[in-house]
């Protein structure tokens, strides 16, 4: 091999000849192998953060099997579609006489996933259709958030909305007055903490539950402040009205002191006395929620590619990674290529809050989704991409950034 190794300048045009020869020479005499060819070929490769063996071979003008052989000499077994880390790609390229540069990324993109997607799709006013309101229930511990939600669900189910086992997917849809309301039943939830930290909000209306016998407690104040900071309209549900110690007026007084004057006292704040135990006042509460929603004229475009928020995600036996998603715009369908932070995948199945398999989910609809490559973070945004290759590349870039 040595005579050949010294003759690349003459034998350069058939670009394949000297390179395989240069590679074996590398271990024997590292300095000439790594410097001399660069001087001759002088070619600079621009590499992405993750490149496949085939892509790298094409860039270098080599046959993939030659490159695989070089990788074997470096004790790396790689198939033609194997994706190489940038460091490995750099080493192997240098052995073949190429200098390597990393592809420069624009620096001001904290989340690399949105730009290309959103640019394509500006919503036309004609495409915007009314969507259900997304309601979060907040309040102090033991003031009856969960029992209130259960009662709301039961009221809806009692009206003939039965359908299998309720799936706890962090959100549920309820029919009221011929319309749908989506309730997020996860007040102390990771998704909310993550979203509050980013200053984003996925809530249209906050229902603050206050126990009529206890009044406003520190956590109630905190919940009200969060809702005010996010500029979300507040509806107060004064719960436990069935108890003898219930005192709605005292609660209203405390609210007025916080600057939330109840409507019946000439203010703006809607207060609904309810009882999760007996079901009294639930219908009025739902009516009020729909009224506030109507005033906000909530709309979304169901025709675009879906995007939304991960409510929660976990590994489930027999299902793999599952993510409970809340679609905020567009329609999520089976077979869509999904990107969520450093996870990606094709939507294999969608399950609604009543445990039924569905083919699609529109704006403000919560679903459990199967088919992601991993478990995304609660509160992360998800997007539907044009194809899985794009989704996968973006996800790998994101993972690389996190590393």
């Amino acid at each position: 091999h040595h005579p050949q190794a010294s003759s690349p300048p003459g034998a350069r045009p058939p670009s394949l000849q000297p390179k395989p020869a240069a590679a074996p020479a590398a271990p024997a005499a590292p300095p000439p192998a790594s410097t001399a060819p660069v001087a001759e070929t002088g070619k600079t490769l621009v590499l992405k953060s993750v490149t496949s063996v085939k892509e790298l071979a094409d860039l270098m003008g080599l046959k993939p099997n030659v490159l695989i052989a070089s990788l074997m000499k470096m004790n790396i077994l790689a198939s033609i579609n194997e994706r190489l880390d940038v460091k490995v790609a750099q080493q192997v390229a240098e052995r073949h006489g190429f200098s390597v540069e990393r592809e420069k990324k624009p620096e001001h993109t904290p989340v690399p996933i949105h730009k290309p997607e959103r640019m394509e799709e500006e919503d036309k006013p004609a495409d915007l259709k009314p969507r259900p309101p997304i309601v979060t229930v907040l309040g102090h511990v033991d003031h009856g958030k969960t029992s209130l939600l259960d009662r709301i669900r039961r009221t809806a189910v009692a009206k003939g909305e039965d359908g299998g086992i309720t799936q706890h997917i962090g959100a549920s849809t309820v029919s009221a007055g011929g319309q749908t309301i989506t309730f997020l039943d996860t007040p102390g939830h990771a998704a909310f903490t993550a979203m509050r930290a980013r200053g984003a909000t996925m809530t249209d209306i906050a229902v603050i539950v206050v126990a009529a016998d206890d009044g406003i407690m520190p956590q109630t104040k905190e919940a009200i402040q969060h809702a005010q900071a996010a500029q979300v309209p507040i509806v107060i549900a004064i719960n436990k009205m069935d108890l003898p110690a219930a005192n709605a007026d005292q609660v209203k007084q405390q609210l007025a002191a916080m600057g939330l004057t109840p409507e019946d006292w000439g203010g703006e704040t809607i207060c609904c006395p309810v009882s999760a135990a007996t079901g009294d006042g639930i219908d009025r509460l739902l009516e009020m929620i729909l009224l506030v929603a109507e005033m906000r004229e909530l709309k979304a475009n169901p025709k675009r590619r879906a995007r939304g928020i991960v409510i929660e995600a976990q590994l489930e036996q027999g299902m793999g990674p599952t993510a409970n998603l809340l679609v905020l715009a567009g329609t999520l369908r089976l077979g869509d290529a999904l990107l969520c932070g450093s996870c990606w995948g094709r939507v294999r199945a969608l399950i609604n809050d009543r445990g039924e398999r569905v083919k699609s989910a529109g704006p403000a609809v919560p679903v459990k989704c199967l088919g992601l490559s991993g478990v995304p973070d609660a509160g992360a945004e998800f997007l539907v991409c044009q194809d899985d290759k794009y989704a996968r590349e973006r996800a790998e870039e994101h993972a690389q950034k996190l590393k």
Side-chain angles (χ1 to χ4, degrees):
H1 286 301
H2 287 288
Q4 222 176 342
S6 58
S7 67
R12 203 165 26 142
S15 64
L16 296 183
Q17 220 139 23
K19 286 167 197 150
S34 60
T35 54
V38 176
E40 302 155 11
T41 41
K43 244 181 117 178
T44 304
L45 300 181
V46 179
L47 291 184
K48 289 191 210 152
S49 54
V50 183
T51 314
S52 74
V53 172
K54 187 177 186 311
E55 284 167 2
L56 186 59
D58 291 347
L59 278 176
M60 290 162 62
L62 294 178
K63 287 194 172 124
N65 60 335
V66 176
L67 195 57
I68 291 170
S70 287
L71 285 164
M72 276 179 166
K73 291 199 176 75
M74 291 163 63
N75 290 333
I76 296 170
L77 291 173
S79 65
I80 188 163
N81 293 321
E82 188 100 28
R83 298 166 95 74
L84 299 173
D85 192 45
V86 91
K87 284 182 185 156
V88 177
Q90 217 162 349
Q91 286 171 347
V92 76
E94 281 168 4
R95 286 186 162 213
H96 287 273
F98 291 94
S99 60
V100 172
E101 263 183 26
R102 294 284 290 271
E103 190 178 51
K104 284 193 173 60
K105 287 275 185 317
E107 280 173 23
H108 54 75
T109 50
V111 184
I113 61 180
H114 299 322
K115 264 301 198 303
E117 293 293 318
R118 287 193 187 164
M119 293 299 281
E120 300 166 23
E121 306 191 58
E122 284 299 314
D123 293 332
K124 297 185 191 76
D127 290 339
L128 295 173
K129 300 277 182 285
R131 64 165 175 82
I134 300 167
V135 180
T136 308
V137 180
L138 303 162
H140 191 73
V141 181
D142 289 342
H143 277 199
K145 298 185 295 276
T146 312
S147 46
L148 184 66
L149 272 164
D150 286 346
R151 172 60 73 174
I152 289 171
R153 270 197 224 104
R154 277 217 301 280
T155 312
V157 170
K159 289 182 180 162
E161 225 198 82
D162 58 315
I165 311 151
T166 308
Q167 286 278 320
H168 287 286
I169 63 171
S172 44
T173 44
V174 167
S175 292
Q179 288 165 282
T180 311
I181 304 173
T182 299
F183 280 97
L184 288 164
D185 39 11
T186 43
H189 215 265
F192 291 95
T193 331
M195 296 205 60
R196 276 192 207 129
R198 290 216 314 265
T201 174
M202 55 177 167
T203 308
D204 302 313
I205 298 167
V207 171
I208 311 269
V209 182
V210 186
D213 58 340
D214 248 3
I216 289 180
M217 303 294 264
Q219 272 179 303
T220 324
K221 281 185 182 166
E222 202 180 307
I224 291 172
Q225 281 157 1
H226 278 311
Q228 284 171 329
Q231 295 178 335
V232 172
I234 293 172
V235 175
I236 305 283
I238 304 174
N239 191 21
K240 305 195 184 183
M241 286 303 290
D242 53 295
L243 297 179
N247 184 349
D249 282 344
Q250 185 203 344
V251 174
K252 287 180 182 179
Q253 248 166 348
Q254 292 173 323
L255 286 167
M258 283 188 73
L260 295 172
T261 314
E263 265 190 329
D264 49 347
W265 291 16
E268 300 275 301
T269 309
I270 298 173
C271 291
C272 300
V274 295
S275 163
T278 64
D280 286 345
I282 299 286
D283 285 345
R284 180 170 180 266
L285 176 63
L286 295 176
E287 269 168 42
M288 288 300 131
I289 290 171
L290 288 172
L291 186 73
V292 175
E294 206 173 297
M295 282 156 56
R296 295 205 70 189
E297 294 186 344
L298 305 164
K299 289 188 171 152
N301 176 4
K303 291 183 183 167
R304 58 176 293 160
R305 287 194 204 124
R307 66 177 185 78
I309 292 286
V310 178
I311 304 170
E312 54 191 55
Q314 56 278 312
L315 266 177
E316 282 188 56
Q317 217 170 353
M319 291 189 190
T322 66
N324 304 341
L325 309 176
L326 179 62
V327 181
L328 295 180
T331 303
L332 183 64
R333 296 183 172 85
L334 287 178
D336 277 350
L338 205 60
L339 166 64
C340 182
S342 49
C343 304
W344 65 282
R346 271 206 179 275
V347 178
R348 278 210 322 267
L350 294 171
I351 299 166
N352 69 8
D353 58 321
R354 291 194 282 290
E356 303 151 345
R357 290 201 166 222
V358 290
K359 290 204 170 106
S360 65
V365 176
V367 276
K368 176 185 280 196
C369 163
L370 278 64
L372 280 173
S373 61
V375 178
D377 295 330
E381 290 189 46
F382 73 81
L383 277 181
V384 170
C385 300
Q386 61 260 35
D387 54 34
D388 354 8
K389 184 171 180 279
Y390 181 82
R392 180 177 179 163
E393 279 171 10
R394 288 288 154 282
E396 281 172 353
E397 261 171 46
H398 194 84
Q400 206 66 23
K401 273 215 161 95
L402 288 179
K403 256 189 204 157

